[in-house]
Structures are given as structure tokens and as C-alpha cells.
Amino acid sequence: MSIDLTIDDGIATVILNRPDRLNALNHEHYQSLSAAWIEVRDNANIRAAIVTGAGTKSFCAGADLKEFIPNPPNASEMWQTQREELLNRGLEVWKPIIAAVNGWCLGGGMTLLFATDIRIAASHARFGLPEIKRGIIAGNGGTQRTLMNLPYPLAMELLLTGDDIDAETARGWGIINKVVAPDELMPAALEYARRTARNAPLAVQASKELALRSRDVDLATGLRIEQMFNRFLMGTQDASEGAQAFTASRPPKFIGN
């Protein structure tokens, strides 16, 4: 299996493990990756996740075109929209996802990156959507998520030239949060995961869901949904624990209920 999933102290680490192909993914790997994301979504013991690539050269080079182009999916699969769902294909995972970009981040690797919440890159990382140079387009949400993450002219530069950019440029464009030395990448990602995981799980998931869903509604509707979410959270054990811990000047012990 080329997708490794480990869970430690409430934090899942998803590793794309195919370094000999720059962690490019074929049909089998996408199946395994879908199963990993479903586990992150459904396992109540997981409070945050990190996704990264094996080795030091590549985060993910996207789909393995050498396998996909000669063997395109059957036409009937076009309407199996819930089959083997992925984070960048629309699988709803409301837990925090931190990307640790350890090298090339290309094509589907970029759309995966755009589906994460907090993004750390090693200083040698590079980012691009080269599909157009191969006669295809950026898939798995590439044409949508790029515009959601970047101002129009920057998004179109990536989509229409197919050229890649370095980590500092990506940080300047707002694609990633921080650039670190390669040996600091996983510690930095783990720090972010721990910072999010120590917060109230229900409130964290509600914040992420509302932030994403409200992009598609008017302000009045978003405010109303926010009000309803908060009203629900006020009745949870975590909210009570948060208030008690604040009063007692002690760290809270949230249980996600």
C-alpha cells in the first residue's frame, strides 16, 4: 500500500508513499487515499491530520499520467460521484488538515494542497499546475479551488502557463502559511496540528464547516447559520468545560461532546 496512515495522540499522519514516482498516484493509490480520509473523518479519536509525501523530493506530483492516459476511466464512472471520494474531490472532513509540503507539489498535489487548512512548505518546495502542458486540465477541483485560493490573475498564471513557482513566491501569494528548513517541516506541521487538536473538537469542526459553507451564501444567511451553530455549541459539555477551566485558570479537558 502506498498510503500510510498513523494515529498518535489524536493526530493522524497521512503519508503519500511512492517516492520513486514523486508520490504520483494511480487508481489503486487513490482508493487507499480515499479510505485514509474516511478514517480521518469518521474516527472520533482523531482531532487533526497532517498530510505529507514520503522522501525529500516531492509532496505529490498528482495523478500518474503514464498510467491514467492510456487507461482512462469508463464513461459510466463519470456518474459514480460518491465513489472513492477524496479531500479535493469534495469529501467533507471538518477536522483541521495540515499540509507539510516536502518538495514538488504539482497537479493533483496542488488541488490536494488547496483542500487543506494550514500549509507549511520546505524551502526547496515548488508548486505548479502543469496539466495544460500535457493536453489536459487541472482536475479534482483544480479550476475551482485555484480561483478560491488566489486572486484571479495569479490563479490564471498558474492555470494557463503551467509553470511552477518556488516556496517563497507561494508564501507571498498566500498559498502557504510558512516556509521552513526541510528538517523543520514535520515539527512545524506537528506543532500546528497540536495547537488545533487541543481546542474543543466540536467548535473546531463547526468553525471550519461554517467558514467553508458561508462562502456560497449571503451575509444574512451566514450570520443566521453561525447563530444556530453557536446556540447548539453552548449546550455541549465542551462549552461547560471551557467556562469552568477559564474560571479555574486551568487547561480545559475537551471530550468532543
Short mmCIF file of all heavy atoms in Angstrom, two decimals, residues 96-153:
data_model
loop_
_atom_site.label_atom_id
_atom_site.label_comp_id
_atom_site.label_asym_id
_atom_site.label_seq_id
_atom_site.Cartn_x
_atom_site.Cartn_y
_atom_site.Cartn_z
N PRO A 96 -9.28 19.76 11.26
CA PRO A 96 -8.17 20.51 10.64
C PRO A 96 -7.21 19.60 9.90
O PRO A 96 -6.82 18.55 10.41
CB PRO A 96 -7.47 21.17 11.84
CG PRO A 96 -8.49 21.15 12.94
CD PRO A 96 -9.31 19.93 12.72
N ILE A 97 -6.85 20.00 8.69
CA ILE A 97 -5.88 19.26 7.88
C ILE A 97 -4.69 20.17 7.61
O ILE A 97 -4.83 21.24 7.03
CB ILE A 97 -6.48 18.82 6.53
CG1 ILE A 97 -7.83 18.12 6.73
CG2 ILE A 97 -5.49 17.93 5.79
CD1 ILE A 97 -7.76 16.80 7.44
N ILE A 98 -3.51 19.72 8.03
CA ILE A 98 -2.28 20.49 7.85
C ILE A 98 -1.44 19.82 6.77
O ILE A 98 -1.19 18.61 6.83
CB ILE A 98 -1.47 20.59 9.17
CG1 ILE A 98 -2.23 21.43 10.21
CG2 ILE A 98 -0.11 21.21 8.93
CD1 ILE A 98 -3.16 20.66 11.08
N ALA A 99 -1.03 20.57 5.78
CA ALA A 99 -0.17 20.05 4.72
C ALA A 99 1.29 20.36 5.04
O ALA A 99 1.63 21.49 5.37
CB ALA A 99 -0.56 20.65 3.38
N ALA A 100 2.14 19.36 4.92
CA ALA A 100 3.59 19.52 5.06
C ALA A 100 4.21 19.23 3.70
O ALA A 100 4.37 18.07 3.31
CB ALA A 100 4.13 18.58 6.12
N VAL A 101 4.53 20.29 2.96
CA VAL A 101 4.96 20.16 1.57
C VAL A 101 6.48 20.01 1.53
O VAL A 101 7.22 20.97 1.76
CB VAL A 101 4.51 21.38 0.74
CG1 VAL A 101 4.87 21.18 -0.73
CG2 VAL A 101 3.01 21.60 0.89
N ASN A 102 6.93 18.81 1.19
CA ASN A 102 8.35 18.48 1.29
C ASN A 102 9.06 18.42 -0.05
O ASN A 102 10.10 17.77 -0.18
CB ASN A 102 8.51 17.13 2.00
CG ASN A 102 7.67 16.04 1.36
OD1 ASN A 102 6.48 16.24 1.12
ND2 ASN A 102 8.27 14.90 1.08
N GLY A 103 8.53 19.10 -1.06
CA GLY A 103 9.18 19.09 -2.37
C GLY A 103 8.18 19.50 -3.44
O GLY A 103 7.40 20.43 -3.26
N TRP A 104 8.20 18.79 -4.58
CA TRP A 104 7.30 19.11 -5.67
C TRP A 104 5.84 18.97 -5.25
O TRP A 104 5.45 17.97 -4.66
CB TRP A 104 7.57 18.20 -6.87
CG TRP A 104 8.86 18.48 -7.58
CD1 TRP A 104 10.01 17.76 -7.52
CD2 TRP A 104 9.11 19.57 -8.46
NE1 TRP A 104 10.98 18.34 -8.30
CE2 TRP A 104 10.46 19.45 -8.90
CE3 TRP A 104 8.34 20.64 -8.92
CZ2 TRP A 104 11.05 20.36 -9.77
CZ3 TRP A 104 8.92 21.55 -9.81
CH2 TRP A 104 10.26 21.41 -10.22
N CYS A 105 5.06 19.98 -5.60
CA CYS A 105 3.62 19.97 -5.35
C CYS A 105 2.96 20.35 -6.67
O CYS A 105 2.84 21.55 -6.99
CB CYS A 105 3.26 20.96 -4.23
SG CYS A 105 1.51 21.00 -3.80
N LEU A 106 2.57 19.35 -7.43
CA LEU A 106 2.15 19.58 -8.81
C LEU A 106 0.78 18.96 -9.10
O LEU A 106 0.43 17.92 -8.53
CB LEU A 106 3.17 18.97 -9.78
CG LEU A 106 4.61 19.46 -9.67
CD1 LEU A 106 5.52 18.63 -10.57
CD2 LEU A 106 4.71 20.94 -10.01
N GLY A 107 0.03 19.58 -9.99
CA GLY A 107 -1.21 19.00 -10.45
C GLY A 107 -2.16 18.66 -9.32
O GLY A 107 -2.56 19.53 -8.54
N GLY A 108 -2.50 17.38 -9.22
CA GLY A 108 -3.37 16.94 -8.15
C GLY A 108 -2.80 17.18 -6.78
O GLY A 108 -3.53 17.26 -5.78
N GLY A 109 -1.47 17.30 -6.69
CA GLY A 109 -0.87 17.67 -5.41
C GLY A 109 -1.27 19.08 -5.01
O GLY A 109 -1.48 19.37 -3.83
N MET A 110 -1.39 19.97 -6.00
CA MET A 110 -1.83 21.34 -5.73
C MET A 110 -3.29 21.38 -5.30
O MET A 110 -3.66 22.10 -4.37
CB MET A 110 -1.63 22.21 -6.96
CG MET A 110 -0.22 22.72 -7.14
SD MET A 110 0.24 24.00 -5.94
CE MET A 110 -0.56 25.43 -6.65
N THR A 111 -4.15 20.61 -5.99
CA THR A 111 -5.55 20.63 -5.59
C THR A 111 -5.75 19.99 -4.23
O THR A 111 -6.62 20.40 -3.46
CB THR A 111 -6.44 19.94 -6.65
OG1 THR A 111 -6.04 18.59 -6.83
CG2 THR A 111 -6.35 20.67 -7.98
N LEU A 112 -4.92 18.99 -3.90
CA LEU A 112 -4.93 18.45 -2.54
C LEU A 112 -4.52 19.53 -1.55
O LEU A 112 -5.14 19.71 -0.50
CB LEU A 112 -4.01 17.23 -2.44
CG LEU A 112 -3.73 16.68 -1.04
CD1 LEU A 112 -5.02 16.31 -0.34
CD2 LEU A 112 -2.78 15.49 -1.11
N LEU A 113 -3.45 20.24 -1.87
CA LEU A 113 -2.99 21.32 -1.01
C LEU A 113 -4.10 22.35 -0.78
O LEU A 113 -4.33 22.79 0.35
CB LEU A 113 -1.78 22.01 -1.63
CG LEU A 113 -1.18 23.17 -0.83
CD1 LEU A 113 -0.38 22.64 0.34
CD2 LEU A 113 -0.31 24.05 -1.72
N PHE A 114 -4.81 22.72 -1.85
CA PHE A 114 -5.87 23.72 -1.75
C PHE A 114 -7.05 23.23 -0.91
O PHE A 114 -7.87 24.04 -0.48
CB PHE A 114 -6.36 24.12 -3.15
CG PHE A 114 -5.41 25.00 -3.91
CD1 PHE A 114 -5.35 24.94 -5.29
CD2 PHE A 114 -4.59 25.90 -3.25
CE1 PHE A 114 -4.49 25.77 -6.01
CE2 PHE A 114 -3.72 26.73 -3.94
CZ PHE A 114 -3.67 26.66 -5.33
N ALA A 115 -7.15 21.92 -0.70
CA ALA A 115 -8.23 21.37 0.12
C ALA A 115 -7.83 21.25 1.59
O ALA A 115 -8.64 20.80 2.40
CB ALA A 115 -8.66 20.01 -0.42
N THR A 116 -6.59 21.63 1.93
CA THR A 116 -6.15 21.60 3.32
C THR A 116 -6.35 22.98 3.95
O THR A 116 -6.65 23.95 3.27
CB THR A 116 -4.68 21.18 3.43
OG1 THR A 116 -3.84 22.16 2.78
CG2 THR A 116 -4.45 19.82 2.77
N ASP A 117 -6.12 23.05 5.26
CA ASP A 117 -6.45 24.27 6.00
C ASP A 117 -5.23 25.12 6.37
O ASP A 117 -5.28 26.34 6.30
CB ASP A 117 -7.20 23.90 7.28
CG ASP A 117 -8.42 23.04 6.99
OD1 ASP A 117 -9.28 23.49 6.21
OD2 ASP A 117 -8.50 21.92 7.53
N ILE A 118 -4.16 24.46 6.78
CA ILE A 118 -2.93 25.15 7.16
C ILE A 118 -1.80 24.47 6.40
O ILE A 118 -1.73 23.24 6.34
CB ILE A 118 -2.69 25.09 8.68
CG1 ILE A 118 -3.83 25.80 9.42
CG2 ILE A 118 -1.35 25.70 9.05
CD1 ILE A 118 -3.80 25.62 10.92
N ARG A 119 -0.87 25.26 5.81
CA ARG A 119 0.09 24.71 4.88
C ARG A 119 1.51 25.19 5.20
O ARG A 119 1.76 26.39 5.23
CB ARG A 119 -0.29 25.10 3.46
CG ARG A 119 -1.73 24.74 3.11
CD ARG A 119 -2.30 25.64 2.05
NE ARG A 119 -3.74 25.44 1.88
CZ ARG A 119 -4.50 26.18 1.09
NH1 ARG A 119 -3.96 27.19 0.40
NH2 ARG A 119 -5.79 25.95 1.00
N ILE A 120 2.39 24.22 5.41
CA ILE A 120 3.80 24.51 5.68
C ILE A 120 4.61 23.94 4.53
O ILE A 120 4.33 22.83 4.06
CB ILE A 120 4.27 23.86 7.00
CG1 ILE A 120 3.23 24.04 8.11
CG2 ILE A 120 5.61 24.44 7.42
CD1 ILE A 120 2.91 25.46 8.44
N ALA A 121 5.62 24.66 4.09
CA ALA A 121 6.44 24.17 2.98
C ALA A 121 7.91 24.20 3.35
O ALA A 121 8.39 25.13 4.01
CB ALA A 121 6.21 25.01 1.73
N ALA A 122 8.64 23.18 2.92
CA ALA A 122 10.09 23.20 3.00
C ALA A 122 10.62 24.22 2.00
O ALA A 122 9.98 24.51 0.98
CB ALA A 122 10.66 21.82 2.70
N SER A 123 11.77 24.78 2.28
CA SER A 123 12.30 25.87 1.47
C SER A 123 12.56 25.48 0.02
O SER A 123 12.57 26.34 -0.87
CB SER A 123 13.60 26.39 2.10
OG SER A 123 14.52 25.32 2.29
N HIS A 124 12.74 24.18 -0.26
CA HIS A 124 13.01 23.75 -1.64
C HIS A 124 11.74 23.36 -2.39
O HIS A 124 11.81 22.94 -3.54
CB HIS A 124 13.99 22.58 -1.63
CG HIS A 124 13.42 21.32 -1.03
ND1 HIS A 124 13.26 21.17 0.33
CD2 HIS A 124 12.97 20.17 -1.60
CE1 HIS A 124 12.75 19.97 0.58
NE2 HIS A 124 12.56 19.35 -0.58
N ALA A 125 10.58 23.48 -1.77
CA ALA A 125 9.32 23.08 -2.41
C ALA A 125 9.00 23.95 -3.62
O ALA A 125 9.36 25.14 -3.66
CB ALA A 125 8.18 23.15 -1.39
N ARG A 126 8.32 23.36 -4.59
CA ARG A 126 7.86 24.10 -5.76
C ARG A 126 6.42 23.70 -6.07
O ARG A 126 6.02 22.57 -5.82
CB ARG A 126 8.77 23.86 -6.97
CG ARG A 126 10.21 24.35 -6.75
CD ARG A 126 11.00 24.39 -8.04
NE ARG A 126 10.52 25.45 -8.94
CZ ARG A 126 10.94 26.72 -8.89
NH1 ARG A 126 11.85 27.09 -8.01
NH2 ARG A 126 10.48 27.61 -9.77
N PHE A 127 5.68 24.65 -6.64
CA PHE A 127 4.25 24.50 -6.81
C PHE A 127 3.84 24.80 -8.24
O PHE A 127 4.30 25.79 -8.82
CB PHE A 127 3.51 25.46 -5.87
CG PHE A 127 3.90 25.31 -4.42
CD1 PHE A 127 5.08 25.87 -3.94
CD2 PHE A 127 3.09 24.62 -3.54
CE1 PHE A 127 5.45 25.74 -2.60
CE2 PHE A 127 3.44 24.48 -2.21
CZ PHE A 127 4.62 25.04 -1.74
N GLY A 128 2.95 23.98 -8.80
CA GLY A 128 2.51 24.26 -10.17
C GLY A 128 1.36 23.38 -10.61
O GLY A 128 1.05 22.35 -10.00
N LEU A 129 0.72 23.81 -11.69
CA LEU A 129 -0.37 23.07 -12.32
C LEU A 129 0.02 22.84 -13.78
O LEU A 129 -0.41 23.58 -14.68
CB LEU A 129 -1.68 23.87 -12.22
CG LEU A 129 -2.23 24.08 -10.80
CD1 LEU A 129 -3.30 25.16 -10.80
CD2 LEU A 129 -2.79 22.76 -10.26
N PRO A 130 0.84 21.83 -14.06
CA PRO A 130 1.40 21.64 -15.40
C PRO A 130 0.50 20.88 -16.37
O PRO A 130 0.92 20.61 -17.50
CB PRO A 130 2.68 20.85 -15.11
CG PRO A 130 2.31 20.00 -13.93
CD PRO A 130 1.41 20.88 -13.09
N GLU A 131 -0.72 20.54 -15.95
CA GLU A 131 -1.57 19.70 -16.81
C GLU A 131 -1.75 20.25 -18.21
O GLU A 131 -1.80 19.49 -19.19
CB GLU A 131 -2.95 19.51 -16.15
CG GLU A 131 -2.95 18.62 -14.92
CD GLU A 131 -2.80 19.40 -13.64
OE1 GLU A 131 -2.24 20.53 -13.68
OE2 GLU A 131 -3.23 18.90 -12.59
N ILE A 132 -1.87 21.58 -18.30
CA ILE A 132 -2.13 22.19 -19.61
C ILE A 132 -1.00 21.92 -20.60
O ILE A 132 -1.20 21.92 -21.81
CB ILE A 132 -2.37 23.71 -19.42
CG1 ILE A 132 -3.16 24.26 -20.61
CG2 ILE A 132 -1.07 24.46 -19.20
CD1 ILE A 132 -3.75 25.63 -20.35
N LYS A 133 0.20 21.65 -20.09
CA LYS A 133 1.34 21.31 -20.95
C LYS A 133 1.26 19.86 -21.44
O LYS A 133 2.05 19.45 -22.29
CB LYS A 133 2.65 21.52 -20.20
CG LYS A 133 2.94 22.97 -19.85
CD LYS A 133 4.28 23.12 -19.17
CE LYS A 133 4.62 24.59 -18.91
NZ LYS A 133 5.96 24.75 -18.28
N ARG A 134 0.33 19.09 -20.87
CA ARG A 134 0.16 17.69 -21.26
C ARG A 134 -1.14 17.47 -22.02
O ARG A 134 -1.56 16.34 -22.25
CB ARG A 134 0.16 16.80 -20.00
CG ARG A 134 1.36 17.00 -19.07
CD ARG A 134 2.67 16.52 -19.68
NE ARG A 134 3.77 16.69 -18.76
CZ ARG A 134 4.60 17.72 -18.75
NH1 ARG A 134 4.43 18.70 -19.64
NH2 ARG A 134 5.59 17.81 -17.88
N GLY A 135 -1.82 18.56 -22.37
CA GLY A 135 -3.03 18.44 -23.16
C GLY A 135 -4.29 18.19 -22.38
O GLY A 135 -5.34 17.89 -22.94
N ILE A 136 -4.23 18.33 -21.03
CA ILE A 136 -5.40 18.16 -20.19
C ILE A 136 -5.52 19.38 -19.27
O ILE A 136 -4.74 20.33 -19.37
CB ILE A 136 -5.33 16.85 -19.36
CG1 ILE A 136 -4.05 16.81 -18.51
CG2 ILE A 136 -5.39 15.64 -20.29
CD1 ILE A 136 -3.97 15.60 -17.60
N ILE A 137 -6.51 19.37 -18.39
CA ILE A 137 -6.69 20.49 -17.47
C ILE A 137 -6.50 20.03 -16.03
O ILE A 137 -6.51 18.83 -15.74
CB ILE A 137 -8.09 21.13 -17.63
CG1 ILE A 137 -9.20 20.12 -17.28
CG2 ILE A 137 -8.27 21.68 -19.03
CD1 ILE A 137 -10.59 20.72 -17.25
N ALA A 138 -6.33 20.99 -15.14
CA ALA A 138 -6.18 20.68 -13.72
C ALA A 138 -7.47 20.08 -13.18
O ALA A 138 -8.50 20.74 -13.15
CB ALA A 138 -5.82 21.95 -12.94
N GLY A 139 -7.43 18.81 -12.78
CA GLY A 139 -8.62 18.10 -12.34
C GLY A 139 -8.78 18.11 -10.83
O GLY A 139 -8.04 18.77 -10.10
N ASN A 140 -9.77 17.34 -10.37
CA ASN A 140 -10.07 17.23 -8.94
C ASN A 140 -10.23 18.60 -8.29
O ASN A 140 -9.73 18.87 -7.20
CB ASN A 140 -8.99 16.43 -8.20
CG ASN A 140 -9.06 14.95 -8.53
OD1 ASN A 140 -10.09 14.45 -8.98
ND2 ASN A 140 -7.96 14.24 -8.33
N GLY A 141 -10.95 19.49 -8.99
CA GLY A 141 -11.20 20.81 -8.44
C GLY A 141 -10.16 21.84 -8.77
O GLY A 141 -10.20 22.95 -8.24
N GLY A 142 -9.22 21.52 -9.66
CA GLY A 142 -8.14 22.45 -9.97
C GLY A 142 -8.63 23.79 -10.47
O GLY A 142 -8.15 24.85 -10.03
N THR A 143 -9.58 23.79 -11.40
CA THR A 143 -10.06 25.06 -11.95
C THR A 143 -10.95 25.81 -10.98
O THR A 143 -11.12 27.02 -11.13
CB THR A 143 -10.83 24.82 -13.26
OG1 THR A 143 -11.88 23.86 -13.03
CG2 THR A 143 -9.91 24.29 -14.34
N GLN A 144 -11.50 25.14 -9.98
CA GLN A 144 -12.31 25.82 -8.98
C GLN A 144 -11.48 26.27 -7.78
O GLN A 144 -11.53 27.43 -7.37
CB GLN A 144 -13.46 24.92 -8.50
CG GLN A 144 -14.51 24.63 -9.55
CD GLN A 144 -14.18 23.40 -10.37
OE1 GLN A 144 -14.04 22.32 -9.81
NE2 GLN A 144 -14.06 23.55 -11.67
N ARG A 145 -10.73 25.34 -7.21
CA ARG A 145 -10.00 25.65 -5.97
C ARG A 145 -8.90 26.68 -6.19
O ARG A 145 -8.58 27.44 -5.28
CB ARG A 145 -9.43 24.37 -5.36
CG ARG A 145 -10.49 23.40 -4.86
CD ARG A 145 -9.85 22.23 -4.13
NE ARG A 145 -10.84 21.23 -3.76
CZ ARG A 145 -11.62 21.30 -2.68
NH1 ARG A 145 -11.51 22.34 -1.86
NH2 ARG A 145 -12.49 20.35 -2.42
N THR A 146 -8.30 26.70 -7.36
CA THR A 146 -7.26 27.68 -7.62
C THR A 146 -7.83 29.10 -7.54
O THR A 146 -7.22 30.00 -6.95
CB THR A 146 -6.60 27.44 -8.98
OG1 THR A 146 -6.16 26.08 -9.06
CG2 THR A 146 -5.40 28.34 -9.18
N LEU A 147 -9.00 29.29 -8.11
CA LEU A 147 -9.65 30.60 -8.06
C LEU A 147 -10.13 30.93 -6.65
O LEU A 147 -10.20 32.10 -6.26
CB LEU A 147 -10.84 30.65 -9.02
CG LEU A 147 -10.59 31.18 -10.43
CD1 LEU A 147 -10.24 32.66 -10.42
CD2 LEU A 147 -9.50 30.40 -11.15
N MET A 148 -10.45 29.92 -5.85
CA MET A 148 -10.88 30.16 -4.47
C MET A 148 -9.71 30.58 -3.59
O MET A 148 -9.88 31.27 -2.59
CB MET A 148 -11.53 28.91 -3.88
CG MET A 148 -12.85 28.52 -4.50
SD MET A 148 -13.46 26.96 -3.79
CE MET A 148 -14.99 26.74 -4.72
N ASN A 149 -8.51 30.13 -3.95
CA ASN A 149 -7.35 30.36 -3.11
C ASN A 149 -6.51 31.55 -3.53
O ASN A 149 -5.67 32.02 -2.76
CB ASN A 149 -6.45 29.11 -3.10
CG ASN A 149 -6.93 28.05 -2.14
OD1 ASN A 149 -6.44 27.95 -1.02
ND2 ASN A 149 -7.89 27.24 -2.56
N LEU A 150 -6.70 32.04 -4.77
CA LEU A 150 -5.83 33.08 -5.29
C LEU A 150 -6.62 34.17 -6.00
O LEU A 150 -7.71 33.91 -6.53
CB LEU A 150 -4.84 32.48 -6.30
CG LEU A 150 -3.70 31.63 -5.74
CD1 LEU A 150 -3.03 30.86 -6.87
CD2 LEU A 150 -2.70 32.50 -5.02
N PRO A 151 -6.09 35.40 -6.03
CA PRO A 151 -6.68 36.43 -6.89
C PRO A 151 -6.67 35.96 -8.35
O PRO A 151 -5.80 35.18 -8.76
CB PRO A 151 -5.76 37.64 -6.68
CG PRO A 151 -5.11 37.40 -5.36
CD PRO A 151 -4.95 35.92 -5.26
N TYR A 152 -7.61 36.45 -9.12
CA TYR A 152 -7.80 35.97 -10.49
C TYR A 152 -6.53 35.95 -11.33
O TYR A 152 -6.20 34.92 -11.94
CB TYR A 152 -8.88 36.81 -11.19
CG TYR A 152 -9.18 36.35 -12.59
CD1 TYR A 152 -10.04 35.30 -12.83
CD2 TYR A 152 -8.57 36.98 -13.69
CE1 TYR A 152 -10.30 34.86 -14.12
CE2 TYR A 152 -8.83 36.55 -14.98
CZ TYR A 152 -9.69 35.49 -15.20
OH TYR A 152 -9.94 35.07 -16.47
N PRO A 153 -5.76 37.03 -11.42
CA PRO A 153 -4.59 36.98 -12.31
C PRO A 153 -3.53 35.99 -11.87
O PRO A 153 -2.85 35.38 -12.71
CB PRO A 153 -4.06 38.42 -12.30
CG PRO A 153 -4.60 39.02 -11.04
CD PRO A 153 -5.92 38.37 -10.80
#
